[in-house]
Amino acid sequence: MTNNYDAIIIGAGITGAAIALELSQKGLKTLNVEKLSDSGMGSTGNTCAIIRTHYSTLEGTALAYDGYFYWKNWEDYVGNHDEKGLALFHDIGMLVIKPKEFDFNKYLDLHDALEIPYEKWDLEKLKRRMPHFVDDSFYPPKRPEDPTFTDPPTDKINPTVVFFPRGGYVNDATLSVHNIQRAAEAAGAQFLFNAEVVDIRKQGDRVAGVTLKDGKMLDAPVVVNAAGPHSFVINRMAGIEGSMKIKTRSLRHEVHFVPSPAEFSYEKEGSIVSDGDAGGYHRPEAGNLILVGSEDPACDELEWVDDPDDFDGDVSIDQWNAQVYRIAKRIPSLAIPNQPRGVVDLYDVTDDWIPIYDKSDLGGFYLAIGTSGNQYKNGPVIGQLLSEIIMACENGHNHDNSPVQVKLRNIDYTLNTGIFSRNREIIEGSTFSVLG
Ligand SMILES: Cc1cc2nc3c(=O)[nH]c(=O)nc-3n(C[C@H](O)[C@H](O)[C@H](O)COP(=O)(O)OP(=O)(O)OC[C@H]3O[C@@H](n4cnc5c(N)ncnc54)[C@H](O)[C@@H]3O)c2cc1C
């Protein structure tokens, strides 16, 4: 192994691996430096891996729709290089339930603009397709400790429920990253594990390389921060955090597992459900389980983490009760186990919950960060965006003045990457939640 590369990528999650694949396919000699023992073991390893298209901006929607086709045609993207086999995409669609006052046109206009299909269901069709659901409204979501939590509902959900067929979930997120790693290696990329970056070295106004915990120095004219929830730590090392208008922080999040209700098999008939009325989402999970997450309703205090290497990795009984009891309102027959079961990990959240895919004020140092709990699905597209931004900037393009335009591969859309700038104004149309 030499110490000189064309590009060093910090992190081997979905983001770092996808960037390695694209850059190595463009002929660059890349090295991913990962402090864990394998790829996809960071926050990607605990993702719910939900693929969906409803986002609050046109660009976010386009990214997700383009991303959907990578998952649908996974082998076309990663080839067949992985001795572990390929990750599997369950192409089952996503149902979105909202409270009465919600204006669905926010999403539907964006879907129309991009010609993404959707189906409007009335509550009768909802009852036919999801017979285990009640159509009462529980909005605004509450915590179980709220004395009004069990008050009888007085209203119904939005009379329109929307099914977005271009969605689903991936069965094994860690394996999906490994698939990309093997594809990147086939194109010449290298990966270094158990190697922690502790310093970003500079020469003049440019990045010169990274220093590892064991003292080893690796050199490259391009370094990419794809460190997930550690992104702000790496930005501080590079001395650029203060020069960015939009910052990133780590946020602790839990997801829980409960059995499918007896009368409805999620494994056989289920879709993904985003239930903004009840404040959570759920999807089928192997073993005829349901995986239950939260959509960050206002009643839940956000758990910011100062040190991403030191957070409580155990499921908390309070959050288990909140998430599981809320979904039990929608599914009254849900059997709730006595023993909480779930996973805990960190989101890498920006000030407006929209990611940063950009250059930085340090020459050669690039950012693929702030994925805000919702960018696993976009990993392959992020690889394309970053590789095109990097190639353009390294060839002298002024990306800050004239953001790189990227022609997406799977849909007829050219993306203005300026929306993902580190120096944008806060995007007020964002949901300021995991929904993006
Ligand atoms: C509970 C949960 C549920 C989610 N559900 C969904 C979902 O359903 N759909 C969706 O689209 N998204 C979802 N997300 C978000 C999604 O998982 C992330 O956007 C995505 O996985 C981020 O990938 P990444 O590669 O940027 O980060 P990571 O996977 O965290 O990779 C970063 C890597 O950098 C390494 N690293 C950090 N610091 C250093 C250092 N100093 N030196 C070397 N290596 C370092 C880390 O070890 C890590 O492996 C969810 C996230 C969580 C936590």
Side-chain angles (χ1 to χ4, degrees):
M1 199 173 214
T2 67
N3 288 348
N4 289 287
Y5 299 88
D6 297 327
I8 290 172
I9 300 152
I10 304 171
I14 185 88
T15 309
I19 295 168
L21 175 58
E22 297 280 342
L23 288 179
S24 55
Q25 284 175 340
K26 284 184 161 59
L28 271 66
K29 185 177 159 196
T30 66
L31 177 74
N32 288 67
V33 182
E34 168 57 60
K35 68 178 182 171
L36 300 177
S37 58
D38 209 341
S39 57
M41 304 278 281
S43 67
T44 302
N46 282 324
T47 182
C48 299
I50 292 173
I51 313 302
R52 63 174 166 97
T53 53
H54 67 288
Y55 274 80
S56 55
T57 62
L58 184 65
E59 293 86 346
T61 310
L63 215 59
Y65 190 35
D66 191 62
Y68 163 84
F69 292 100
Y70 285 96
W71 299 109
K72 183 144 177 89
N73 305 305
W74 190 238
E75 191 171 346
D76 292 348
Y77 174 56
V78 293
N80 217 338
H81 308 282
D82 198 332
E83 70 287 355
K84 294 184 179 175
L86 294 181
L88 191 67
F89 174 50
H90 294 276
D91 194 8
I92 57 174
M94 181 152 195
L95 185 65
V96 178
I97 297 173
K98 292 286 185 187
K100 208 162 224 172
E101 57 268 29
F102 184 80
D103 178 8
F104 262 109
N105 289 327
K106 279 183 195 168
Y107 291 136
L108 302 188
D109 289 350
L110 299 178
H111 281 65
D112 286 339
L114 294 164
E115 298 180 2
I116 310 175
Y118 56 83
E119 297 169 20
K120 287 183 181 181
W121 295 0
D122 58 19
L123 298 187
E124 257 180 43
K125 182 154 185 190
L126 176 68
K127 281 266 174 200
R128 275 201 312 278
R129 294 288 290 266
M130 306 298 266
H132 56 302
F133 277 12
V134 295
D135 59 8
D136 294 322
S137 174
F138 307 110
Y139 195 80
K142 295 171 185 157
R143 295 194 66 82
E145 53 271 25
D146 184 326
T148 64
F149 185 78
T150 48
D151 282 359
T154 54
D155 211 347
K156 296 285 176 195
I157 52 174
N158 194 303
T160 301
V161 170
V162 180
F163 180 70
F164 295 98
R166 302 290 180 259
Y169 69 99
V170 178
N171 71 330
D172 185 338
T174 300
L175 178 61
S176 70
V177 182
H178 198 262
N179 294 162
I180 304 175
Q181 177 198 331
R182 285 288 186 255
E185 286 169 337
Q190 295 178 47
F191 286 73
L192 181 63
F193 295 111
N194 299 308
E196 182 174 348
V197 172
V198 293
D199 192 25
I200 310 284
R201 283 177 294 106
K202 302 172 198 169
Q203 201 160 33
D205 59 359
R206 279 196 65 94
V207 73
V210 302
T211 304
L212 305 185
K213 201 171 186 177
D214 64 5
K216 190 169 187 179
M217 294 189 192
L218 304 170
D219 300 333
V222 167
V223 173
V224 185
N225 180 355
H230 291 78
S231 67
F232 72 93
V233 179
I234 300 293
N235 285 343
R236 283 176 195 171
M237 273 180 210
I240 55 142
E241 196 193 31
S243 67
M244 301 160 56
K245 264 194 194 164
I246 303 284
K247 308 269 195 290
T248 54
R249 288 193 281 173
S250 305
L251 182 73
R252 182 181 175 280
H253 242 268
E254 300 189 9
V255 292
H256 306 124
F257 302 104
V258 291
S260 243
E263 75 276 26
F264 185 86
S265 164
Y266 269 81
E267 208 164 39
K268 293 197 182 111
E269 310 161 77
S271 62
I272 319 275
V273 180
S274 163
D275 189 345
D277 181 84
Y281 62 86
H282 63 275
R283 72 149 169 86
E285 173 63 16
N288 206 18
L289 297 175
I290 311 178
L291 191 160
V292 180
S294 161
E295 293 187 352
D296 311 310
C299 59
D300 287 7
E301 206 174 306
L302 296 178
E303 287 187 65
W304 299 108
V305 168
D306 292 332
D307 178 357
D309 289 316
D310 181 20
F311 65 96
D312 184 354
D314 293 332
V315 169
S316 83
I317 191 74
D318 282 354
Q319 198 55 22
W320 160 270
N321 284 343
Q323 294 182 190
V324 170
Y325 288 169
R326 281 183 203 137
I327 181 193
K329 287 187 171 193
R330 182 70 62 224
I331 310 174
S333 60
L334 196 74
I336 301 182
N338 289 329
Q339 194 62 37
R341 234 185 103 197
V343 295
V344 181
D345 216 317
L346 301 175
Y347 294 169
D348 176 32
V349 178
T350 65
D351 299 330
D352 57 8
W353 293 73
I354 307 281
I356 300 173
Y357 304 134
D358 199 3
K359 67 187 276 289
S360 74
D361 282 12
L362 174 63
F365 188 76
Y366 294 88
L367 306 167
I369 61 174
T371 56
S372 302
N374 64 60
Q375 295 286 305
Y376 167 77
K377 63 182 69 58
N378 293 334
V381 201
I382 301 166
Q384 185 195 2
L385 297 194
L386 259 292
S387 72
E388 295 200 18
I389 291 172
I390 291 168
M391 299 309 276
C393 292
E394 293 304 306
N395 284 318
H397 182 79
N398 189 332
H399 176 59
D400 280 339
N401 286 357
S402 169
V404 171
Q405 311 288 309
V406 175
K407 170 83 188 75
L408 300 182
R409 294 186 182 130
N410 301 306
I411 62 172
D412 183 17
Y413 186 81
T414 298
L415 184 96
N416 178 351
T417 59
I419 186 168
F420 301 120
S421 163
R422 71 204 181 283
N423 286 331
R424 63 176 178 256
E425 297 303 324
I426 295 274
I427 298 175
E428 297 297 346
S430 168
T431 60
F432 292 88
S433 78
V434 69
L435 295 175

